Amino acid sequence: MGIYGQDWASYQSATPETTGLAFAIVKVTEGPDYTNPRFAQQRAHAHAAGLVVGLYHYPHMADSPAAEADRFLKIAQPKAGEFVVLDWEGYDKSNSGVPKATQIAYRDAWLKHVKEKLPHAPVGLYANVDYWTNVDRTSNCGDFLWIATAGRAAGAPGIEHEWMFHQYSASDVDHDYCRLADADALRSWVASFAPKPAPAPAKPAVSLANVIAAARHDPKAAQGAALHRADVQVVEKALVAEGLLRSEWSDGSFGTKTVGAYGAWQRRCGYQGTDADGIPGRDSLGKLAAKHGFLVH
């Protein structure tokens, strides 16, 4: 179980072969001033092939993590459905001589800064086993870990920490494995970081029996009597919206003004005579409810 992908940089073509792949992780920037010249084409190519897309930055860890992160974000402009990675390794001359403590501080600051900018996207860390075991001190990998152990079987990186991606082979192209079951599961995982839509507000509900009782009781009682105020107010609000009841008479009392307004609604529904006497029935009240967003029980 699991899915396969690749990570691409400028030494891959602008349109790598995608057969059998579920995802691609594309290098965007390096240090303070380098941009992968094939980034835009590789990203578009991956999306066109239906792949889930990740975007990564390679750091120069003597520089400002915030400045490098901001430049990466300005160029990458991550889209919904994409994930972001810091490629945390430092074997080239740009990172030689940078103390391990500074490398750790860079990692933590970059991940924090980017997550603050992208709170609704996965922001994670790439590290090989050497960096993960000999440089790391806190196991901070942001939202997920992409671990590199070239030469091991896909999906068996040989570490204890939970991981999401495994780079298991590095040759002319880097080969990667994701522990999720399929591409849809990976898309769902990325989407799980997005804000949840606010639940639709509950529709008010009125009791037909209560409304009928109020329509029969309130007109005969003292001025302003309200047998079932909450139910009646929902109905009156709808009658006001229909232009059949003046707002100052919408007080929760099913008095003569409300009875008259409801009779007008019944006639609007096609009823005549005693069927339009202003006493609600299930059909007419159901039509009013459907139009004005409340429930009848």
Side-chain angles (χ1 to χ4, degrees), residues 12-255:
Q12 274 80 49
S13 78
T15 56
E17 176 59 48
T18 59
T19 302
L21 303 184
F23 62 93
I25 308 174
V26 183
K27 182 175 183 177
V28 181
T29 52
E30 177 178 329
D33 51 19
Y34 173 82
T35 301
N36 171 11
R38 293 178 171 171
F39 150 65
Q41 291 172 288
Q42 289 172 337
R43 177 199 215 171
H45 177 66
H47 278 297
L51 308 188
V52 181
V53 173
L55 309 170
Y56 77 87
H57 169 72
Y58 181 89
H60 290 181
M61 288 182 274
D63 295 330
S64 163
E68 289 197 0
D70 284 337
R71 181 176 181 272
F72 163 78
L73 291 171
K74 182 178 180 179
I75 294 169
Q77 297 186 27
K79 304 173 184 176
E82 295 179 334
F83 58 94
V84 168
V85 190
L86 172 64
D87 179 359
W88 190 54
E89 52 183 324
Y91 300 109
D92 65 348
K93 62 181 180 180
S94 64
N95 292 303
S96 63
V98 178
K100 288 183 178 180
T102 301
Q103 296 183 5
I104 294 170
Y106 181 103
R107 175 201 63 184
D108 294 346
W110 194 97
L111 291 174
K112 180 176 183 293
H113 187 81
V114 173
K115 188 61 182 181
E116 288 173 352
K117 301 288 186 177
L118 300 175
H120 304 307
V123 178
L125 183 76
Y126 169 97
N128 56 34
V129 169
D130 176 34
Y131 255 65
W132 190 245
T133 57
N134 295 320
V135 180
D136 172 64
R137 291 292 180 271
T138 62
S139 299
N140 177 20
C141 58
D143 294 322
F144 65 92
L145 176 63
W146 174 18
I147 189 72
T149 53
R152 296 184 63 93
I159 62 170
E160 294 182 3
H161 195 279
E162 184 177 358
W163 54 273
M164 178 60 69
F165 300 98
H166 175 208
Q167 186 188 86
Y168 62 92
S169 174
S171 54
D172 58 327
V173 63
D174 294 335
H175 297 275
D176 300 284
Y177 175 90
C178 174
R179 63 180 177 80
L180 299 180
D182 52 36
D184 286 340
L186 180 56
R187 289 189 187 90
S188 295
W189 172 74
V190 175
S192 71
F193 288 81
K196 304 298 185 292
K203 292 183 177 181
V206 303
S207 162
L208 175 63
N210 286 353
V211 174
I212 291 174
R216 288 175 173 160
H217 169 272
D218 293 352
K220 300 175 183 178
Q223 179 69 31
L227 184 63
H228 295 290
R229 186 180 300 277
D231 294 79
V232 172
Q233 283 180 322
V234 174
V235 176
E236 287 182 324
K237 182 179 178 181
L239 293 173
V240 170
E242 287 292 318
L244 300 175
L245 182 69
R246 288 167 56 174
S247 58
E248 61 264 33
W249 296 331
S250 177
D251 57 2
S253 172
F254 212 121

